[in-house]
Amino acid sequence: MNVQLVNSLVEVVLNLSPEEQKLFQEKLSNKHLTLLTSKPQTSSERLLLWQEWIDTAPKSYANLDDEALRRENIYDDEVGYNL
């Protein structure tokens, strides 16, 4: 990763007028949307999209308790099995 380049870009963006910053954000959002909606061609592009999705996915720690994971609690009791 080129940290120096990223820092330079941040500095440039911060020196833009409010109107220019708004336009920059719009263009950046449009580019991101284009990347998300276009079909990736290479494995590198697919990996990048996957990593971006992982970074933006909700971080939820809602876990099921042990009782909910028991096999007999997963299936509906009213379903009969004909052997």
Side-chain angles (χ1 to χ4, degrees):
M1 178 184 295
N2 191 336
V3 176
Q4 185 177 4
L5 175 61
V6 172
N7 289 338
S8 297
L9 290 171
V10 168
E11 187 175 332
V12 168
V13 171
L14 290 176
N15 288 323
L16 295 173
S17 71
E19 295 83 17
E20 292 168 329
Q21 286 184 10
K22 183 179 177 188
L23 178 60
F24 174 77
Q25 287 295 333
E26 289 172 1
K27 292 207 175 271
L28 189 61
S29 294
N30 288 341
K31 180 64 177 173
H32 184 68
L33 182 60
T34 301
L35 284 174
L36 291 177
T37 56
S38 64
K39 184 175 180 174
Q41 299 300 314
T42 67
S43 59
S44 305
E45 291 172 328
R46 290 191 301 272
L47 177 62
L48 178 62
L49 289 175
W50 176 250
Q51 289 170 333
E52 286 179 2
W53 180 85
I54 290 172
D55 291 340
T56 60
K59 309 290 189 271
S60 173
Y61 297 103
N63 295 319
L64 295 174
D65 61 12
D66 290 339
E67 186 66 22
L69 296 174
R70 294 179 59 122
R71 183 178 180 85
E72 58 269 13
N73 294 332
I74 294 174
Y75 300 102
D76 188 6
D77 292 337
E78 297 186 24
V79 174
Y81 296 100
N82 295 327
L83 296 174

